[in-house]
């Protein structure tokens, strides 16, 4: 491809609304343009990259035995109502009506659609297992789209759904998808960590996210460096220690004896930090009260002051769709004093009471006195009448240094970008859509399902987050828009003819090459080549005209070599060697994947 016949509007300056490298560089390199908040148009270079990523996903999915479909983006509401998710999904689902007032949505995911289409096709156990997928557009009406295409409203996703006779068959496909995902990401140059994750609105018995460690990640990962445990912070169980786990597993609590709490004046000290400083106590010795509404149910949760509520855990326990804080009027209505809420039974109304499992009944705490400007110290929860009726559960987020749930070693916390997610859905959707087949005994048997998703656009941006420097992007050879950038610095027509001959020879050798033949200065061409991130750059200029020398630069390392040109065969052979070497670096990641 010749640059003079192509469109790649590069920019010198970062866009004002971009805060992360991938967003800045995708705009500056002429890969995308913003249409509106969370909506992006892909320009020719960007689309080539996106299609190469899709090709990798498609090749690996096909190799796993999955079959490709393409379903409508617009999904009738009836399908979502059948599964019960029409009301369960939040405002992220874009709902609309057609001219006949028929409700529908722009599909954020396609479990319901695939269940509807597959049900009449699956009749016998001989039709199973079956894994079907599509690479298609999705839409989620994000409240705050950010980071360019990493969190956009419209995006391309590979979503797959498998159907099975039993859980053993599901597990086999789940493990196959796990390995397939590792291969897909490795071929893109992404180093991923599979982490245990919360299934959320998807439902199911198990799920794993494929995370790429990144400082801009919106997810927090808990990683054990002593064993193989890794998890999303929303899923990670919190244990203070091995001994604490044993204590919490017991119904027997020690008798602390009589110990009168002390009522302490704490004027204006509402936050944990203010109370801790005022009383010169550690955060962990103060009980935090979090008052929320889970759907329509008012809940009061007590936890150590150094912890934060994990809403995902609370949703899973209560079955709620949404969690919000109690308003000031609601707090007052329940007889609670904002900033000074204590574990004493509230005088007005009924609250569902929770005590985080990391809180010990065998310890004294500082608590709110449920009175303005007062706290109580040396407070024992055993003194509360009816404490045995409170619900105890793990409701807090893990912290750096918490015990690994597998080996009790200290956990490390990293930020990560989610690029893929796999689920064991079980029979949630099979029951809703009554998808059953005749088993070996000729009896109807309900199928069980799996679900497997990859964010294609997000993969593109995540690669940029990992592969960039102060000059621009450095694409892995597997998904680069073109493998080779040919920069010519010649003016005479006979010299241009020589470059044309070399360009034609490189193309004939099967190498995708981008010839920058524009009538601009060499510095401009070099900067664009490095900004866009072509893996290999060859330069034909004064050195070639005078000494038959061609400069070859590897973008990743910025190392340059001089090739003495003796003909097309020698040049194309060297380029093929370099391309093979760059591909081998990616293949080495593939060889290290064992699960």
């Amino acid at each position: 491809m010749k640059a003079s016949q192509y469109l790649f509007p590069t920019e010198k300056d970062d866009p004002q609304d971009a805060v992360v490298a991938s967003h800045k560089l995708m705009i500056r390199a002429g890969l995308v343009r913003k249409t509106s908040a969370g909506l992006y148009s892909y320009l020719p270079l960007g689309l080539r990259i996106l299609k190469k990523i899709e090709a990798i996903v498609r090749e690996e999915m096909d190799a796993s035995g999955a079959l490709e479909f393409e379903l409508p983006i617009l999904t009738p509401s009836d399908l979502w109502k059948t599964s019960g998710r029409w009301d369960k999904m939040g405002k992220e689902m874009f709902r609309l009506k057609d001219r006949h007032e028929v409700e529908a949505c722009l599909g954020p995911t396609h479990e319901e659609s695939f269940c509807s289409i597959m049900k009449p096709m699956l009749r016998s156990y001989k039709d199973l297992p079956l894994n079907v997928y599509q690479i298609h557009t999705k839409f989620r009406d994000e409240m705050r789209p950010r980071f360019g295409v990493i969190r956009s409203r419209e995006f391309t996703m590979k979503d797959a759904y498998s159907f099975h006779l039993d859980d053993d068959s599901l597990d086999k496909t789940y493990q196959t998808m796990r390995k397939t995902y590792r291969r897909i990401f490795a071929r893109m140059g992404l180093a991923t960590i599979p982490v245990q994750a919360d299934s959320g609105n998807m439902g199911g018995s198990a799920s794993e996210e494929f995370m790429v460690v990144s400082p801009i990640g919106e997810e927090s990962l808990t990683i054990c460096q002593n064993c193989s445990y890794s998890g999303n912070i929303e899923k990670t169980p919190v244990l203070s220690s091995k001994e604490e786990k044993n204590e919490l597993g017991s119904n027997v609590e020690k008798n602390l004896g009589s110990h009168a709490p002390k009522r302490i004046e704490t004027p204006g000290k509402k936050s944990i930090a203010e109370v801790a400083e005022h009383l010169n106590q550690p955060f962990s010795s103060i009980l935090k009260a979090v008052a929320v509404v889970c759907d329509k149910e008012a809940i009061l949760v007590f936890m150590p002051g150094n912890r934060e509520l994990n809403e995902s855990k609370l949703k899973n326990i209560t079955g709620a769709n949404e969690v919000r804080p109690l308003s000031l009027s609601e707090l007052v209505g329940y007889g609670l004093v904002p900033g000074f809420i204590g574990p004493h039974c509230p005088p007005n109304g009924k609250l569902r009471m929770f005590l985080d499992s990391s809180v010990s009944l065998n310890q004294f705490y500082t608590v709110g006195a449920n009175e303005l400007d007062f706290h109580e110290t040396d407070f024992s929860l055993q003194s509360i009448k009816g404490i045995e009726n409170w619900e105890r559960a793990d409701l807090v987020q893990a912290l750096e240094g918490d015990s690994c749930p597998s080996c009790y070693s200290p956990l490390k916390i990293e930020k990560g970008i989610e690029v893929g997610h796999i689920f064991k859905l079980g029979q949630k959707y099979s029951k809703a859509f009554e998808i059953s087949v005749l088993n070996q005994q000729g009896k109807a048997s309900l199928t069980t399902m799996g679900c497997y998703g990859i964010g294609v656009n997000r993969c593109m941006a995540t690669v940029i987050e990992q592969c960039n420097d102060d000059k621009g992007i450095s694409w892995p050879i597997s998904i680069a828009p073109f493998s080779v950038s040919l920069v010519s610095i010649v003016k005479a027509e006979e010299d241009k003819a020589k470059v044309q001959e070399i360009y034609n020879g490189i193309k004939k050798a099967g190498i995708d090459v981008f010839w920058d033949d524009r009538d601009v200065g060499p510095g401009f061409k070099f900067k664009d080549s490095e900004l866009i991130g072509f893996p290999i750059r060859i330069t034909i200029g004064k050195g070639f005209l005078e000494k038959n020398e061609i400069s070859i630069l590897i973008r990743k390392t910025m190392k340059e070599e001089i090739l003495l040109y003796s003909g097309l065969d020698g040049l194309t052979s060297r380029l093929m060697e370099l391309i093979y070497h760059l591909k081998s670096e990616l293949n080495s990641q593939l060889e290290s994947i064992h699960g």
Side-chain angles (χ1 to χ4, degrees):
M1 179 59 67
K2 294 182 180 181
S4 59
Q5 300 171 358
Y6 210 73
L7 179 67
F8 57 111
T10 56
E11 302 281 351
K12 290 178 61 177
D13 300 319
D14 294 333
Q16 292 184 348
D17 63 340
V19 296
V20 299
S22 58
H23 190 187
K24 295 174 184 177
L25 291 171
M26 289 179 82
I27 299 292
R28 288 188 55 210
L31 308 183
V32 301
R33 283 294 181 267
K34 182 177 177 179
T35 302
S36 66
L39 300 177
Y40 290 85
S41 299
Y42 284 80
L43 307 187
L45 277 178
L47 190 59
R48 281 182 69 91
I49 298 162
L50 200 66
K51 293 302 180 183
K52 287 191 174 186
I53 293 174
E54 288 182 10
I56 289 174
V57 173
R58 182 172 286 110
E59 287 169 13
E60 293 294 339
M61 289 300 295
D62 290 349
S64 75
L67 303 175
E68 186 172 8
F69 282 54
E70 184 169 291
L71 276 59
I73 301 169
L74 193 68
T75 308
S77 63
D78 288 350
L79 298 182
W80 288 82
K81 289 176 181 178
T82 298
S83 70
R85 291 205 298 170
W86 182 257
D87 296 320
K88 192 174 181 65
M89 297 293 285
K91 294 182 179 179
E92 288 75 21
M93 189 162 78
F94 193 94
R95 297 168 171 85
L96 66 163
K97 293 181 180 180
D98 66 14
R99 66 179 67 192
H100 304 293
E101 295 296 308
V102 176
E103 291 181 312
C105 71
L106 297 180
T109 182
H110 275 69
E111 283 80 4
E112 286 82 358
S113 296
F114 267 100
C115 283
S116 175
I117 195 172
M118 296 307 299
K119 178 181 177 179
M121 301 183 195
L122 302 177
R123 298 183 177 89
S124 165
Y125 72 94
K126 295 179 181 179
D127 298 326
L128 304 177
L130 188 66
N131 193 6
V132 295
Y133 79 97
Q134 64 175 348
I135 301 174
H136 208 2
T137 304
K138 297 284 191 290
F139 194 94
R140 290 178 187 165
D141 196 9
E142 297 283 354
M143 179 183 294
R144 287 181 289 272
R146 58 194 303 227
F147 297 164
V149 302
I150 287 182
R151 184 169 288 279
S152 57
R153 298 167 72 201
E154 183 178 287
F155 53 96
T156 302
M157 182 177 177
K158 189 285 297 177
D159 51 322
Y161 308 89
S162 62
F163 298 82
H164 308 268
L165 188 63
D166 52 40
D167 289 341
D168 288 342
S169 174
L170 169 59
D171 188 61
K172 288 177 183 177
T173 298
Y174 185 88
Q175 296 304 327
T176 297
M177 284 294 96
R178 195 174 189 272
K179 292 180 181 179
T180 298
Y181 272 38
R182 298 294 300 278
R183 288 185 57 83
I184 287 170
F185 298 129
R187 285 183 61 184
M188 296 179 198
L190 287 174
T192 55
I193 302 173
V195 302
Q196 296 180 29
D198 183 70
S199 297
N201 284 333
M202 301 293 289
S205 60
S207 73
E208 285 179 279
E209 292 169 328
F210 290 79
M211 293 286 190
V212 175
V213 173
S214 170
I216 72 151
E218 295 184 292
E219 305 287 344
S220 294
L221 321 179
T222 53
I223 300 171
C224 180
Q225 297 177 314
N226 184 58
C227 72
S228 59
Y229 178 82
S230 57
N232 188 307
I233 199 168
E234 293 183 344
K235 180 74 172 180
T236 304
V238 173
L239 301 173
S240 299
S241 66
K242 188 172 182 179
E243 290 73 24
E244 181 79 352
K245 179 185 177 185
N246 291 337
E247 176 198 329
L248 294 175
S250 171
N251 291 323
V252 179
E253 299 290 349
K254 300 175 185 176
N255 186 356
L256 296 179
S258 58
H259 197 107
K262 300 181 179 66
R263 186 167 171 273
I264 305 293
E265 189 172 6
T266 51
K269 311 300 180 184
K270 295 184 177 182
S271 71
I272 296 296
E274 290 171 336
V275 175
E277 181 181 13
H278 184 73
L279 300 179
N280 193 26
Q281 291 183 354
F283 284 24
S284 58
S285 69
I286 304 169
L287 281 193
K288 178 188 292 185
V290 180
V292 296
V293 176
C294 291
D295 289 345
K296 296 181 179 180
E297 184 178 34
I299 289 175
L300 191 58
V301 183
F302 286 92
M303 65 190 71
N306 63 328
R307 298 284 180 173
E308 296 296 330
L309 177 67
N310 186 321
E311 289 191 5
S312 293
K313 292 179 179 179
L314 184 59
K315 285 180 180 179
N316 287 337
I317 289 173
T318 61
N321 296 325
E322 294 184 358
V323 175
R324 67 167 178 83
L326 259 71
S327 66
L328 179 61
S329 61
E330 288 172 324
L331 288 170
V332 173
Y334 282 107
L336 302 174
V337 182
F340 301 91
I341 300 173
H344 318 76
C345 292
N348 303 323
K350 185 179 180 182
L351 288 164
R352 186 174 175 183
M353 307 294 286
F354 277 96
L355 184 65
D356 182 68
S357 57
S358 64
V359 176
S360 175
L361 297 185
N362 306 319
Q363 182 177 333
F364 295 111
Y365 291 96
T366 293
V367 301
N370 241 357
E371 182 180 347
L372 185 64
D373 292 337
F374 282 93
H375 280 77
E376 293 183 10
T377 61
D378 297 329
F379 185 90
S380 168
L381 291 167
Q382 290 190 32
S383 65
I384 299 175
K385 184 179 180 180
I387 186 70
E388 66 276 4
N389 297 322
W390 288 24
E391 298 175 63
R392 301 189 69 179
D394 173 17
L395 293 171
V396 297
Q397 287 193 2
L399 295 173
E400 181 104 13
D402 278 352
S403 298
C404 168
S406 295
C407 72
Y408 303 106
S409 298
L411 289 172
K412 182 177 177 61
I413 293 183
E414 298 275 9
K415 290 291 185 181
I417 301 172
E418 178 192 346
V419 290
H421 205 153
I422 59 177
F423 301 82
K424 288 184 179 180
L425 294 177
Q427 295 183 330
K428 173 179 177 177
Y429 297 94
S430 299
K431 286 180 180 177
F433 285 87
E434 299 178 344
I435 305 175
S436 61
V437 298
L438 295 179
N439 61 22
Q440 293 92 329
Q441 289 74 41
K443 295 183 179 180
S445 179
L446 200 64
T447 59
T448 188
M449 290 178 60
C451 172
Y452 321 93
I454 289 177
V456 177
N457 320 65
R458 183 174 287 192
C459 286
M460 180 177 173
T462 304
V463 170
I464 297 175
E465 290 294 332
Q466 286 196 336
C467 305
N468 74 84
D469 56 24
D470 59 348
K471 299 179 185 298
I473 307 167
S474 174
W475 288 109
I477 192 76
S478 59
I479 60 174
F482 293 89
S483 298
V484 175
S485 167
L486 167 58
V487 173
S488 58
I489 311 172
V490 296
K491 292 187 176 180
E493 290 303 319
E494 61 269 24
D495 296 332
K496 291 180 181 179
K498 293 178 183 178
V499 179
Q500 177 76 55
E501 182 183 353
I502 292 173
Y503 168 71
N504 291 340
I506 295 172
K507 284 182 63 179
K508 190 175 180 180
I511 300 170
D512 56 333
V513 56
F514 187 82
W515 177 15
D516 195 341
D517 61 338
R518 294 175 297 171
D519 186 18
V520 296
F524 197 89
K525 294 182 180 183
F526 291 151
K527 286 182 179 179
D528 272 359
S529 174
E530 291 160 7
L531 172 62
I532 294 168
F534 303 109
I536 301 169
R537 184 180 77 208
I538 61 175
T539 305
I540 299 176
K542 185 177 180 181
F544 174 75
L545 300 176
E546 296 179 353
K547 306 175 185 177
N548 276 342
E549 292 178 348
I550 293 179
S551 166
I552 303 178
L553 179 131
I554 303 300
R555 174 64 182 88
K556 182 179 180 180
T557 61
M558 293 302 290
K559 289 184 179 180
E560 187 177 18
E561 67 176 66
I562 302 298
L563 175 74
L564 187 62
Y565 183 73
S566 58
L568 279 169
D569 289 345
L571 175 60
T572 56
S573 177
R574 181 56 183 153
L575 291 176
M576 295 291 277
E577 287 176 3
L578 292 172
I579 290 170
Y580 176 81
H581 175 72
L582 292 173
K583 287 182 177 178
S584 296
E585 291 180 350
L586 296 177
N587 290 337
S588 64
Q589 293 186 42
L590 284 173
E591 292 170 2
S592 66
I593 295 172
H594 299 291

